[in-house]
Amino acid sequence: MTASPTICRKDRLRGSPRTHTDELQRGISFLADCQGADGSWKGDYGGSYFLTPMWAAALASMGVPIDDDLRSGFLKYMASRRNPDGGWGLHTESPSTLFSTVLTHVALRVLGARLDDPLVESSLGWIRAHGGAVGIPLWGKLFLATLNLYHYDGVPPLCPELWLLPRAAPLHPGRIWCHARVVLLAMSHLYGRRFRLPSTPLIRAIRSEIYSSPFEEIDWRRQRERVSPTDAYVDQPGLSRVANLVLGAYERIPGFRRRALTETLDHIHHEDDTTDHIDIGPVNKLMNMMVAWFEEGPESVWFASHAGHIADYLWETDDGVHVNGYNSTAMWDTAFAVQALVATPQAADLLPVLARAHGFIEANQVLDDVPDHERYYRHRSRGGWPFSNRPHGWPISDCTGEGLKAALALQDRVEEPIAYERLRDAVELILSLQNPTGGWATYELTRGSRILEKLNSSALFSGIMVDYDYPECTSSCLQGLAAFRRRYPTRLAPGVELAVSRGREYLLSSQNPDGSWYGSWGVCFTYGTWFGTWGLLAAGLEPGAPALRRAVRFLLSHQNPDGGWGEHWTSCTELRYVPSSESQVVMTSWALLALMACGFSSPDVERGLGFLRRTQLPSGDWPREPIEGVFNRTCMIHYDNYRNYFPIWALGLASERNPST
Ligand code: LAN
């Protein structure tokens, strides 16, 4: 087996105070210093706490070598994220959940912490006070079952036979949002094989700790739908109960299991092979790695290929080692950093930085579709940009839009710009991803009906069953198309024209009556409204158009007396604007970007810019702030570089508009 994974330590540069008196120049110098040797920017992508104990528990249980640094890094991180009530939340700012607390307890114990360790006392106290681990949500049930800490009879049926359904079936897994689909894929394989670790004294000890009655005496079947009230973010839908009954009955009939497992295994291999064993995200990466371990063993080539990419997801900070939400943020961060830098008056002095960034963007565009993409329910890939890098290889609509914008912004600034044919491929991919509604979803077209959401049994995440239209994705695609049209007015013109006008209609129809848009991937209405306004402007609306005036009014109504904006993550879960206790640099930048693009200039904009200038640190960095990213409504995620390039973008736009500021 391979050696202990080397952890990426990518500290932000704590540069010495800059000599520049100008905040914009200071911010630019700091950002430029943070550029990696490959030309990209990437950052800490933690915040979704549950990932770390899940990984730590599984890696240690599979016997992946964990050296002292990694072990103490995991322990330190878990210690630093404990809530005052002694439990751990789904994300780093949320109330405690049984899911994260049980995962933490198991991780602590398999990493060697003893029962008298204060952290273990804490997790155990919390679990016992909340009815024991029986009420852990579905993902936890299945995960614990693989570790031999939950009985498979207590896991709702995850029949792999679903993969044998005819493609036209409304419930076919190929219709599910790709992230949920690939997690379900691995889970149904593990379930179908009833894979579990051998029972050891430690496993038996943990069993006796996390349940209030002896493991053997628990009526497991009755636990299938049980979810602790602390974890029930999403109601357990009635339809999923019916499905559980039907599939539960089916489980007793020997039928197509062998064929189904061959099918799921084939799909798992395809995902591993086409992503260089990085996989689309941290949950299916871990689950596929477990499948490899159970199927072929720790010494197999398959497992070793997985182990070689464990470190891609690990990140070290002063708080210890955590698991990131993706293998990196490189492409997303680089596309925004470039756009921010070219919006400043200093752009002409930054050619070497921009050339390196261009090199990264060029080298990470996906050039081919994955083999047999249709058989494996994959959309085309050629021409797209992923969130992270080419080896990961799953392009996303909005990453392609932002990548295209960044590439076009660099066309006249580099010696060898990306060839027209490749930009055309990006445009064609974007066009192929537009839904009949005019909107864009994330990785694929919307394939399933909203009824599928009624089968979401995760309890923890909302909106995971379908790849819905999103204003943010729509906006980035529209902006990419508009930038392409400016550069090549006659190329692909009819298709681009039509797509832009349909996209505009979608954005207009998704605006809320108060002028805002709900943002699904950043916190929350401020983020959505920045994208909404920029999308409509790209689609040709005049800055004074009524929809944009409403958006401006919305933003101004939430400006704080200190000139800044600050929105709390609970906006995402409560679906209404919740202010945070203090203004935040990131939201202030989004609001200013929207206001300035809408042509709005007034003392309010000046006060916002003043907030950005005042809060900058002498190094040119800005202080880390409360969490600003989200997925699936309930789980927050931290975008570390947002606080660096968004303020630069806003300050840069302001000084381009008014060179005296
Ligand atoms: C991401 C990361 C990138 C993000 C943007 C491109 C920023 C967004 O505009 C579209 C959605 C997307 C691609 C996205 C979706 C959900 C992800 C993949 C994540 C937030 C990173 C981690 C998260 C994933 C779902 C975590 C695993 C949990 C599950 C519920 C499967």
Side-chain angles (χ1 to χ4, degrees):
M1 198 178 300
T2 47
S4 181
T6 27
I7 316 157
C8 301
R9 176 162 188 123
K10 286 180 193 102
D11 264 341
R12 342 194 90 242
L13 303 176
R14 289 192 198 85
S16 50
R18 312 263 163 192
T19 46
H20 312 291
T21 48
D22 171 53
E23 293 85 357
L24 177 55
Q25 182 59 55
R26 253 197 331 236
I28 291 173
S29 305
F30 183 86
L31 185 65
D33 282 356
C34 293
Q35 187 178 30
D38 62 358
S40 78
W41 283 266
K42 39 182 168 280
D44 175 0
Y45 200 36
S48 304
Y49 172 78
F50 71 94
L51 295 170
T52 300
M54 195 179 218
W55 271 59
L59 295 181
S61 302
M62 290 189 290
V64 172
I66 295 185
D67 63 20
D68 286 348
D69 280 351
L70 184 53
R71 182 179 169 279
S72 58
F74 279 146
L75 292 173
K76 189 172 176 195
Y77 182 71
M78 292 190 272
S80 77
R81 295 296 180 245
R82 178 166 52 154
N83 282 333
D85 69 354
W88 282 261
L90 184 64
H91 61 89
T92 48
E93 297 189 21
S94 65
S96 304
T97 55
L98 188 64
F99 182 60
S100 291
T101 309
V102 170
L103 294 180
T104 304
H105 181 77
V106 175
L108 291 169
R109 296 286 281 131
V110 295
L111 287 173
R114 291 156 44 139
L115 273 180
D116 58 357
D117 181 305
L119 279 184
V120 173
E121 284 176 352
S122 181
S123 52
L124 212 47
W126 198 95
I127 294 167
R128 287 190 175 144
H130 291 82
V134 281
I136 195 167
L138 171 65
W139 286 22
K141 290 183 185 347
L142 185 276
F143 182 70
L144 291 182
T146 62
L147 304 188
N148 212 344
L149 292 169
Y150 208 90
H151 199 293
Y152 268 107
D153 283 350
V155 181
L158 294 163
C159 302
E161 285 78 3
L162 281 179
W163 261 261
L164 298 178
L165 284 175
R167 274 177 170 251
L171 301 185
H172 191 282
R175 297 182 184 279
I176 297 176
W177 183 45
C178 56
H179 274 279
R181 178 170 79 231
V182 292
V183 171
L184 180 65
L185 172 68
M187 285 189 174
S188 41
H189 191 81
L190 292 163
Y191 177 87
R193 296 270 272 145
R194 303 290 196 276
F195 275 135
R196 61 193 172 130
L197 290 171
S199 159
T200 59
L202 179 61
I203 296 278
R204 288 192 292 277
I206 301 175
R207 283 175 171 187
S208 72
E209 290 154 25
I210 60 177
Y211 298 107
S212 44
S213 31
F215 191 83
E216 291 70 25
E217 287 171 23
I218 296 172
D219 181 352
W220 288 103
R221 275 181 199 280
R222 299 191 61 174
Q223 312 308 327
R224 283 187 181 173
E225 276 145 28
R226 179 153 167 175
V227 174
S228 163
T230 51
D231 293 42
Y233 287 122
V234 179
D235 287 342
Q236 286 307 281
L239 202 55
S240 81
R241 257 177 235 143
V242 178
N244 284 347
L245 270 178
V246 176
L247 295 175
Y250 172 81
E251 271 301 301
R252 294 169 202 209
I253 316 167
F256 302 95
R257 181 80 13 131
R258 275 254 289 277
R259 243 184 80 204
L261 290 169
T262 309
E263 182 76 3
T264 44
L265 198 58
D266 181 40
H267 280 261
I268 290 169
H269 275 303
H270 186 266
E271 163 73 353
D272 283 351
D273 294 344
T274 53
T275 60
D276 198 14
H277 297 82
I278 295 166
D279 295 334
I280 192 175
V283 179
N284 86 315
K285 159 73 182 167
L286 185 67
M287 298 283 157
N288 283 10
M289 188 157 45
M290 294 174 80
V291 170
W293 192 90
F294 281 117
E295 283 285 352
E296 296 190 0
E299 304 302 332
S300 63
V301 174
W302 186 14
F303 186 75
S305 308
H306 262 296
H309 286 285
I310 291 172
D312 302 28
Y313 284 90
L314 303 182
W315 197 271
E316 185 173 20
T317 69
D318 292 342
D319 290 340
V321 178
H322 66 255
V323 174
N324 275 340
Y326 226 81
N327 66 320
S328 93
T329 58
M331 184 57 212
W332 187 245
D333 276 340
T334 306
F336 281 136
V338 163
Q339 294 182 67
L341 292 174
V342 300
T344 65
Q346 285 88 335
D349 307 330
L350 295 167
L351 292 182
V353 172
L354 295 174
R356 280 197 296 276
H358 181 268
F360 182 82
I361 294 171
E362 190 278 326
N364 285 281
Q365 185 179 16
V366 178
L367 300 181
D368 289 307
D369 299 337
V370 297
D372 280 335
H373 65 97
E374 280 167 355
R375 158 152 172 65
Y376 296 98
Y377 319 121
R378 291 284 307 265
H379 193 86
R380 287 170 32 196
S381 304
R382 182 188 169 126
W385 272 282
F387 181 72
S388 51
N389 56 6
R390 188 189 283 168
H392 175 285
W394 279 81
I396 308 169
S397 67
D398 57 0
C399 299
T400 306
E402 299 298 340
L404 181 59
K405 271 178 83 189
L408 285 164
L410 296 174
Q411 288 277 291
D412 296 330
R413 293 183 160 96
V414 294
E415 276 173 21
E416 276 185 63
I418 301 181
Y420 165 77
E421 288 68 30
R422 280 177 50 178
L423 302 178
R424 180 206 56 204
D425 287 348
V427 170
E428 284 182 343
L429 185 75
I430 292 177
L431 295 178
S432 77
L433 280 166
Q434 188 174 31
N435 278 315
T437 53
W440 274 267
T442 60
Y443 297 77
E444 293 163 348
L445 288 162
T446 301
R447 300 175 181 176
S449 131
R450 278 166 192 263
I451 296 174
L452 271 179
E453 208 58 56
K454 301 223 177 298
L455 293 170
N456 171 3
S457 312
S458 72
L460 294 166
F461 307 106
S462 173
I464 59 170
M465 298 298 282
V466 178
D467 202 345
Y468 300 99
D469 289 325
Y470 294 100
E472 299 103 300
C473 296
T474 304
S475 170
S476 295
C477 291
L478 285 174
Q479 292 180 54
L481 293 178
F484 178 82
R485 189 170 56 177
R486 268 197 303 281
R487 178 95 195 180
Y488 302 104
T490 57
R491 310 278 181 96
L492 306 174
V496 170
E497 204 53 52
L498 183 64
V500 169
S501 71
R502 288 169 51 220
R504 178 173 57 225
E505 292 316 305
Y506 164 78
L507 275 186
L508 288 170
S509 69
S510 56
Q511 187 177 25
N512 296 319
D514 66 2
S516 68
W517 282 264
Y518 177 85
S520 295
W521 310 110
V523 175
C524 173
F525 294 94
T526 322
Y527 185 71
T529 305
W530 170 49
F531 277 101
T533 53
W534 279 45
L536 286 179
L537 288 163
L541 252 68
E542 292 299 324
L548 295 174
R549 284 218 305 273
R550 278 202 303 279
V552 166
R553 268 204 301 279
F554 169 81
L555 290 170
L556 291 178
S557 72
H558 291 291
Q559 188 172 21
N560 292 329
D562 63 5
W565 279 258
E567 193 176 349
H568 194 252
W569 63 265
T570 46
S571 280
C572 307
T573 48
E574 293 188 19
L575 312 183
R576 65 180 177 92
Y577 188 97
V578 181
S580 56
S581 58
E582 287 182 27
S583 296
Q584 293 182 216
V585 161
V586 171
M587 284 128 204
T588 303
S589 306
W590 292 333
L592 288 172
L593 286 169
L595 291 173
M596 289 189 282
C598 291
F600 185 79
S601 57
S602 81
D604 299 320
V605 168
E606 272 315 307
R607 289 192 308 118
L609 295 166
F611 174 81
L612 295 183
R613 295 195 184 100
R614 271 201 318 278
T615 48
Q616 192 185 38
L617 301 171
S619 61
D621 192 3
W622 273 269
R624 185 171 164 143
E625 301 182 315
I627 208 145
E628 63 295 82
V630 59
F631 58 89
N632 303 115
R633 292 229 163 125
T634 57
C635 192
M636 305 301 132
I637 189 156
H638 173 59
Y639 288 79
D640 207 38
N641 288 324
Y642 277 10
R643 70 172 190 271
N644 294 105
Y645 47 70
F646 285 125
I648 291 178
W649 201 342
L651 290 168
L653 265 194
S655 47
E656 283 282 290
R657 278 158 36 116
N658 177 5
S660 66
T661 54

